[in-house]
Amino acid sequence: MSPRQMTETAYMAASTGLLWVAIYYLPIGDALFRLAIPLPLVLLQLRHGGRTALEGVAVTVLLLTVLMGPVRGPLMLFPYGLLSLWLGWCWRRQCSWWFSMAVGVLIGAAGFLVRVALVSLLLGENLWVVITGAASGLLNGLADRLQLPVAPTLDQVQVAALLLVLAQNMVYLLALHAVAWWVLPRLRQAIPDPPRLLRPLLALDPS
């Protein structure tokens, strides 16, 4: 690795770590920080390739582990570290937005489930069952009060929760692609143009 690559890797890893720390400790700007988190490591991969990006992710995780401990630090991988590697790979090869977003949604949803599983393990209680069970009880109570003929079962609530997670990640991936399409060309790293179907949703022109 050249001195320039080492310097840029350290800088991008530090930038990513700073954004992750800001999510936890700053009271505002959470949504903007989450949009920005994958971009430094994506930019690193676009400039220097996948191996350098992997090293950047590793440095970021090590840095965050030192700063935030062995639980919160490595959580950056799920999904933001993996997303940065995936999107950098796709954009370096000029893949379609549909392809990068479809797999990105699955990575984001898997990352959410990994975080829930880890927190459940630390607390000794299945948070997914607790949350969906509480939601099911609330909906059943509303159905009784409103005298509705049917009420959702726990399985239906869990399916609906999974669909909401996928929908949330779809919105996030679309917004992330739009931000990158606007920002990265100004850093001399263009990404593929959006599909024609999505262009009316993007009010900004990167040219």
Side-chain angles (χ1 to χ4, degrees):
M1 182 182 290
S2 68
R4 178 185 174 185
Q5 286 178 303
M6 291 178 63
T7 301
E8 195 161 355
T9 299
Y11 177 76
M12 295 302 179
S15 300
T16 304
L18 183 62
L19 289 168
W20 183 250
V21 170
I23 286 177
Y24 279 93
Y25 297 113
L26 292 184
I28 59 174
D30 179 83
L32 293 177
F33 295 143
R34 291 183 187 278
L35 279 176
I37 278 181
L39 296 182
L41 295 174
V42 166
L43 182 60
L44 187 65
Q45 183 165 355
L46 291 176
R47 288 180 175 174
H48 301 295
R51 180 178 178 180
T52 304
L54 281 171
E55 292 171 351
V57 170
V59 171
T60 303
V61 171
L62 289 174
L63 175 64
L64 289 172
T65 300
V66 171
L67 292 175
M68 305 181 70
V71 176
R72 287 184 177 180
L75 274 181
M76 191 280 303
L77 274 174
F78 309 104
Y80 302 107
L82 297 179
L83 271 180
S84 66
L85 294 174
W86 169 248
L87 294 178
W89 185 90
C90 288
W91 293 342
R92 190 176 174 87
R93 288 159 180 77
Q94 297 293 301
C95 296
S96 165
W97 282 32
W98 296 121
F99 179 58
S100 57
M101 284 197 301
V103 178
V105 166
L106 297 179
I107 292 174
F112 170 80
L113 295 177
V114 167
R115 295 197 302 273
V116 170
L118 181 59
V119 175
S120 298
L121 182 63
L122 293 174
L123 295 178
E125 193 167 8
N126 192 326
L127 286 183
W128 178 257
V129 172
V130 171
I131 293 171
T132 54
S136 177
L138 177 62
L139 291 174
N140 284 329
L142 288 175
D144 289 339
R145 286 179 177 273
L146 298 176
Q147 297 183 348
L148 297 177
V150 293
T153 64
L154 179 59
D155 289 340
Q156 291 172 336
V157 171
Q158 290 181 337
V159 170
L162 285 174
L163 292 176
L164 284 175
V165 170
L166 291 173
Q168 180 186 20
N169 279 281
M170 175 61 75
V171 173
Y172 172 77
L173 263 295
L174 179 59
L176 180 57
H177 277 67
V179 170
W181 183 66
W182 180 72
V183 170
L184 293 182
R186 288 159 173 77
L187 301 174
R188 299 181 181 179
Q189 296 295 330
I191 71 169
D193 288 330
R196 184 172 299 179
L197 184 63
L198 297 178
R199 289 178 186 177
L201 299 177
L202 305 175
L204 299 175
D205 185 353
S207 60

